[in-house]
Amino acid sequence: NAGVMQNPRHLVRRRGQEARLRCSPMKGHSHVYWYRQLPEEGLKFMVYLQKENIIDESGMPKERFSAEFPKEGPSILRIQQVVRGDSAAYFCASSPALGQPSYEQYFGPGTRLTVT
Amino acid sequence: AQKVTQAQTEISVVEKEDVTLDCVYETRDTTYYLFWYKQPPSGELVFLIRRNSFDEQNEISGRYSWNFQKSTSSFNFTITASQVVDSAVYFCALSVPQGGSEKLVFGKGTKLTVNP
């Protein structure tokens, strides 16, 4: 039973380029959370999605960042026109539906984005 | 608003010493969940424990134990007889179910170094 998959594991982009980060949840999970970890910081919530719906985007920067979780395929976090301050580790976590007895968030290995 | 404070930024101990990592949380909600995660140097996030607000019973798992005290809003983590492999950054986190979301609010982490 595969865990949460994220790719790429490392991504280097020049300023102004676009970054696309992918997250495939665990089998049977329909909920995805994205978190960002800046250097020497804890993780900060960005967005929570269910299939085809954004439930909570209160942590997303207002500009340049977007997320989707289509009916088919992985969840994607997109950062347009990247800047050096976007350099961070981006983690996604998947969970089963709320109310499940063992509800918890399972984290992927993260994508380390470096903007040069 | 929810907040998690891990006052200890870094701790260094010698192997076989016991060490306690402190976690203080803030929330006005009566239903919430507390977590501990381990982030080893390889960077992934490893789930350690989840505890709901209605269960104040302390928990022990091998060399790990957790002390949950609602009266002081604390959820401390103790490693007994520490080992070099315990060296990692440890994060305490809080989630409050709201609007269908259970996003995690993380502390800034405590970096534990266990020296041989």
Side-chain angles (χ1 to χ4, degrees), chain A residues 33 35 37 41-43 45 48 50 55-56 58 91 98 101 103-105 107 109 112, chain B residues 35 37 39 42-45 47 50 91 99-109:
Chain A
Y33 294 79
Y35 295 86
Q37 184 178 27
E41 294 274 331
L43 287 83
F45 166 78
Y48 166 46
Q50 296 175 14
I55 306 302
D56 181 355
S58 57
F91 289 90
L98 288 175
Y103 181 88
E104 64 185 68
Q105 294 178 30
F107 281 83
R112 275 131 188 100
Chain B
F35 302 77
Y37 286 87
Q39 187 175 42
S42 50
E44 73 273 23
L45 279 164
F47 167 83
R50 172 179 184 254
F91 292 100
S101 172
E102 286 203 21
K103 62 188 178 189
L104 294 169
V105 175
F106 284 85
K108 291 195 174 183

Side-chain angles (χ1 to χ4, degrees), chain A residues 6-107:
Chain A
Q6 287 188 252
N7 66 80
R9 295 290 305 276
H10 299 274
L11 181 61
V12 179
R13 284 287 178 266
R14 285 197 292 270
R15 277 180 299 170
Q17 291 185 319
E18 179 179 283
R20 284 195 180 201
L21 288 62
R22 294 174 183 77
C23 170
S24 297
M26 286 179 70
K27 187 176 180 181
H29 286 188
S30 56
H31 300 228
V32 167
Y33 294 79
W34 284 94
Y35 295 86
R36 176 166 66 174
Q37 184 178 27
L38 293 167
E40 309 302 322
E41 294 274 331
L43 287 83
K44 298 267 197 256
F45 166 78
M46 299 182 75
V47 62
Y48 166 46
L49 309 102
Q50 296 175 14
K51 286 280 187 181
E52 300 186 281
N53 282 307
I54 296 176
I55 306 302
D56 181 355
E57 55 181 347
S58 57
M60 283 282 268
K62 299 297 181 197
E63 298 176 348
R64 303 188 297 107
F65 285 72
S66 62
E68 63 178 13
F69 190 14
K71 188 176 180 180
E72 301 290 338
S75 175
I76 295 175
L77 180 67
R78 184 182 292 112
I79 311 172
Q80 296 178 306
Q81 300 175 325
V82 295
V83 301
R84 288 224 172 101
D86 297 332
S87 296
Y90 292 82
F91 289 90
C92 83
S94 77
S95 67
L98 288 175
Q100 296 294 315
S102 60
Y103 181 88
E104 64 185 68
Q105 294 178 30
Y106 296 82
F107 281 83

Side-chain angles (χ1 to χ4, degrees), chain B residues 33-84:
Chain B
Y33 299 90
L34 295 163
F35 302 77
W36 276 95
Y37 286 87
K38 174 182 179 180
Q39 187 175 42
S42 50
E44 73 273 23
L45 279 164
V46 179
F47 167 83
L48 296 178
I49 190 171
R50 172 179 184 254
R51 176 54 52 87
N52 75 58
S53 53
F54 300 107
D55 182 5
E56 281 193 80
Q57 201 168 15
N58 291 330
E59 181 153 343
I60 298 174
S61 176
R63 295 184 298 106
Y64 295 170
S65 62
W66 290 270
N67 184 348
F68 177 26
Q69 291 198 337
K70 289 176 77 169
S71 60
T72 55
S73 297
S74 64
F75 187 45
N76 296 338
F77 172 33
T78 298
I79 302 174
T80 304
S82 60
Q83 300 176 0
V84 173

